[in-house]
Amino acid sequence: MADKIDPVRSSPPPRPSGRASAGATSNGVDVRALAQLARLEVSDEELAKLEREIPDILKFVETIQNVSVETEISSPELRNVMRADENPHEGGMYTEALMKAAPSRVGNRIAVKQVLTRKNTKSEARNPKKYEI
Amino acid sequence: MDLSKLTISKARKALDAKEYSALELTNAYLTAIAEKNPEIHAYLEVWEDSAREEAKVADAMIARGESQPLTGIPIAVKDNILIEGRTASAGSKILENYKATYDATVVTKLKNQGAVFLGRTNMDEFAMGGSTENSAFGPTRNPHDTSRVPGGSSGGSVAAVAANLALAALGSDTGGSIRQPAGFCGVVGFKPTYGKVSRFGLMAMGSSLDQIGPVTKTVEDARIMLEAIAGYDAKDSTSLADSATRSGTSLEKVIGVPREYLREGIDADVLQSFEATLARLRAQGYEIRDIKLPSLTYSLAVYYIIMPAESSTNLARFDGVRYGLSVPAATIQEVYTKTRGEGFGPEVRRRILVGTFVLSSGYVDAYYRKARAVREIIRADFARAFSAGGGSSLGGESVDAIALPTSPVPPWKFAEKAVPLAMYAADIFTVPVNLAGVPAISVPSGAVVREGKDLPVGFQIIGAHGNEETLFTIGKDVERGF
């Protein structure tokens, strides 16, 4: 799966919370692998440009490695706020409004290409329709 | 009526005194828009018919004696804030034909007051940029010099107010997107405390940084707009309890200036203008005190890790399935990659990739988590500056506010900052505010000359968490000097 791709070519992962080596992280960024992770089609021409720009950006932001952070600082301003799971709205109230925004629908369902595929099954060969799940 | 002299306060009095109707006022703006918008390109869409209808409803409210501060006031709305049934594209091809399915809370509040919505304004795609050049629908021009950018990302909202194409506007500010363009176009831009204004119905960019705020011609108008849109909202889990606002705090009239942060990367005449404004404040009885905010140096780097990390996460929802553009392809994987590849512009793609990198396994500790830790140091630095320092080993600076220029440079020419880092560097004085979650205002403070043209300069005042009141007080004193 794409998720296992290491976005940095042939360099060992830096130690957790340790100082990342500027050379290793800035020179070998595999933009194509990042694009795959981000589900983003990027042309070869743009890829060449990004392979120059992204290491420059990362090199700049790496200056934070010079800050010593001794203890884990809590973030009281950033916290999850949960609400009680109660008072639901009437079922179907917003369905039509939300469905209208979908690029492709079948009845009250959003239609997508088949997500899971089985290899070489006869049924699939007979029935190539993959628009619904 | 002379739109160039008009403010919300003045229009309110005139409307209530029946000097002119809300419909006449709206028509005056629609005429101005028809005349000037083709050149400025502040609006992506103008809602003439509904604006007139809303103006008539406002006139009826006024006739019944039910007028509120914004009844009949014509305003513009940034293209990333939802109005039910209206297109909201965030300046992106991926949402070019998206129609909002509900009202943002700020829009509901403005509707309840009988405000008139003139149209939606241009912006850098998904609020990513500082010039409005990243809009998929072409840039907005600075009304003071149309060969220059209006700033961004709320460039359309700000240019609309500056060119008298709206009496006020809503923008959003993730790293300076209200204040910087306000500075560039010579109007007032306000970034409230994080959580002060509900973000329900604002398209998320950097969720720990985003705030909606007003763009107006005067500090008083900014206060009127903020009062109308602020308040706790159960639909936004980050919104603050109304009790978090400090009111009636006494002003010692002490303004801190982190001068170590002003040593480089700032144009000499911009710095001169900043010093001149400080001198005017001193003449009004303020003490200007040098303060240290040592971690400020790292804010730009911290910002350009946290913001892309959060943006890339937020933009994962654009997959061609539920709304917006969907590029047909053979497999669902290809639908995702082609839709996102075609729908997102270059800067958005760049930030998604940087965000993906700093969050990827093996690098998340060194980049994203480290940036969050450094952010807390920045936040603590600000808190210390505002505190009296009792019990703190480092000691507080006990200032009422901190002053910084809004931008280190005046508005630049189109395509002048083609290298991403060059554009990012212009955010140096605005991003620390969003990282700290505190409020700030940019107030017009004179001009610098480039190629024979006067270009506005913004003076930025930063307040303690929840203390917008002090910013209005000092902001008015800055205004008084000009």
Side-chain angles (χ1 to χ4, degrees):
Chain A
M1 261 318 276
D3 298 290
K4 292 211 175 119
I5 292 166
D6 186 340
V8 173
R9 283 187 196 122
S10 63
S11 66
R15 292 179 304 259
S17 74
R19 195 197 142 101
S21 153
T25 47
S26 291
N27 295 330
V29 181
D30 188 342
V31 178
R32 196 185 293 276
L34 283 177
Q36 245 177 303
L37 282 169
R39 310 283 187 265
L40 203 59
E41 190 173 82
V42 179
S43 69
D44 289 344
E45 193 189 340
E46 192 184 3
L47 198 69
K49 199 171 169 230
L50 288 165
E51 279 169 351
R52 291 191 305 274
E53 289 170 344
I54 289 183
D56 281 351
I57 294 168
L58 293 176
K59 197 170 170 185
F60 168 69
V61 301
E62 272 167 20
T63 53
I64 65 159
Q65 304 305 341
N66 301 331
V67 188
S68 71
V69 182
E70 276 145 24
T71 50
E72 182 77 14
I73 299 168
S74 67
S75 314
E77 305 292 335
L78 303 174
R79 70 221 183 277
N80 279 328
V81 177
M82 310 297 275
R83 65 164 176 81
D85 187 13
E86 59 189 18
N87 304 324
H89 62 74
E90 197 184 313
M93 229 174 121
Y94 303 110
T95 306
E96 191 49 37
L98 295 172
M99 286 302 304
K100 263 191 196 159
S104 179
R105 72 187 277 185
V106 174
N108 256 359
R109 287 169 292 158
I110 292 173
V112 295
K113 288 280 178 187
Q114 187 169 325
V115 177
L116 300 174
T117 49
R118 276 179 296 170
K119 283 177 191 166
N120 305 320
T121 57
K122 282 178 189 167
S123 66
E124 196 182 83
R126 277 200 306 271
N127 179 16
K129 196 174 138 211
K130 293 180 185 174
Y131 295 99
E132 273 185 74
I133 42 167
Chain B
M1 76 195 74
D2 180 359
L3 298 185
S4 69
K5 299 270 182 339
L6 203 57
T7 63
I8 296 178
S9 325
K10 285 183 194 163
R12 174 81 278 124
K13 283 190 194 118
L15 288 169
D16 289 345
K18 317 272 166 57
E19 282 171 35
Y20 44 76
S21 69
L23 183 59
E24 286 169 311
L25 181 61
T26 295
N27 280 331
Y29 276 101
L30 290 173
T31 304
I33 292 168
E35 202 178 296
K36 282 204 277 188
N37 194 55
E39 188 191 9
I40 303 294
H41 197 229
Y43 286 93
L44 291 174
E45 189 182 4
V46 181
W47 304 317
E48 292 182 30
D49 292 347
S50 62
R52 288 197 182 96
E53 288 311 308
E54 286 159 3
K56 286 178 196 163
V57 171
D59 279 328
M61 283 172 78
I62 295 165
R64 290 196 303 268
E66 292 167 6
S67 136
Q68 293 178 57
L70 295 176
T71 308
I73 302 296
I75 59 160
V77 178
K78 192 175 178 178
D79 193 31
N80 60 351
I81 297 173
L82 305 191
I83 303 178
E84 190 179 350
R86 288 287 178 203
T87 301
S89 78
S92 180
K93 287 276 178 209
I94 211 164
L95 287 177
E96 191 171 7
N97 299 310
Y98 171 72
K99 283 198 168 32
T101 48
Y102 61 94
D103 280 335
T105 297
V106 289
V107 167
T108 305
K109 284 175 179 256
L110 293 176
K111 281 184 174 175
N112 289 344
Q113 288 217 7
V116 173
F117 296 93
L118 292 170
R120 60 186 170 96
T121 56
N122 200 14
M123 57 183 280
D124 285 300
E125 183 177 4
F126 285 105
M128 297 182 185
S131 68
T132 319
E133 291 168 288
N134 292 335
S135 167
F137 308 107
T140 296
R141 295 176 178 279
N142 191 318
H144 293 267
D145 176 351
T146 50
S147 70
R148 291 176 188 272
V149 303
S153 64
S154 311
S157 283
V158 166
V161 175
N164 301 303
L165 308 181
L167 199 36
L170 289 181
S172 67
D173 191 314
T174 303
S177 283
I178 292 173
R179 290 160 288 151
Q180 183 255 26
F184 276 14
C185 293
V187 296
V188 174
F190 196 92
K191 201 287 288 184
T193 302
Y194 182 75
K196 173 91 180 170
V197 176
S198 167
R199 300 168 316 160
F200 180 72
L202 169 71
M203 290 183 205
M205 176 191 171
S207 298
S208 74
L209 303 155
D210 300 339
Q211 258 298 278
I212 294 174
V215 177
T216 55
K217 287 200 234 168
T218 65
V219 175
E220 178 56 24
D221 281 2
R223 176 216 284 272
I224 293 167
M225 282 287 283
L226 182 69
E227 269 173 19
I229 60 174
Y232 172 75
D233 181 10
K235 289 174 178 160
D236 175 359
S237 67
T238 62
S239 93
L240 288 171
D242 292 336
S243 59
T245 297
R246 295 191 214 172
S247 55
T249 33
S250 67
L251 197 63
E252 304 292 330
K253 295 188 108 173
V254 180
I255 296 174
V257 180
R259 286 196 195 274
E260 282 174 12
Y261 201 48
L262 295 169
R263 279 198 198 133
E264 50 190 59
I266 176 168
D267 283 9
D269 51 358
V270 171
L271 184 59
Q272 222 168 13
S273 156
F274 175 72
E275 293 292 351
T277 304
L278 288 176
R280 269 190 290 272
L281 284 169
R282 205 178 281 121
Q284 291 184 57
Y286 283 88
E287 181 196 334
I288 310 299
R289 189 184 292 171
D290 283 8
I291 60 164
K292 284 191 170 32
L293 289 169
S295 63
L296 228 50
T297 322
Y298 297 104
S299 22
L300 207 53
V302 168
Y303 178 77
Y304 277 96
I305 292 173
I306 290 178
M307 177 274 300
E310 295 183 359
S311 302
S312 69
T313 310
N314 277 321
L315 294 179
R317 74 193 65 191
F318 297 100
D319 57 3
V321 171
R322 285 161 297 168
Y323 34 65
L325 180 74
S326 188
V327 178
T331 68
I332 186 118
Q333 283 292 336
E334 279 180 282
V335 171
Y336 295 154
T337 55
K338 286 185 189 298
T339 298
R340 292 163 64 78
E342 285 181 30
F344 290 135
E347 178 63 16
V348 175
R349 290 205 287 269
R350 200 178 290 128
R351 294 197 194 187
I352 287 175
L353 294 170
V354 170
T356 304
F357 177 84
V358 300
L359 290 174
S360 64
S361 166
Y363 302 93
V364 65
D365 282 325
Y367 288 88
Y368 179 66
R369 294 208 176 102
K370 178 81 187 223
R372 278 193 60 170
V374 180
R375 178 185 189 171
E376 290 310 314
I377 299 175
I378 294 167
R379 200 195 293 275
D381 261 3
F382 272 97
R384 198 180 60 244
F386 292 116
S387 84
S392 162
S393 58
L394 286 158
E397 307 268 13
S398 48
V399 299
D400 294 307
I402 295 167
L404 277 174
T406 305
S407 165
V409 292
W412 52 85
K413 296 214 158 191
F414 290 101
E416 200 180 302
K417 295 197 187 289
V419 177
L421 281 173
M423 183 89 78
Y424 298 175
D427 299 342
I428 186 165
F429 297 135
T430 47
V431 296
V433 170
N434 301 74
L435 292 170
V438 294
I441 189 171
S442 176
V443 184
S445 63
V448 294
V449 180
R450 292 288 181 281
E451 296 178 350
K453 288 204 169 153
D454 278 352
L455 302 176
V457 173
F459 183 82
Q460 182 182 214
I461 314 157
I462 304 164
H465 197 265
N467 197 349
E468 359 287 298
E469 209 46 51
T470 293
L471 301 184
F472 293 128
T473 307
I474 302 173
K476 283 178 189 174
D477 286 338
V478 171
E479 240 171 12
R480 209 162 284 140
F482 289 93

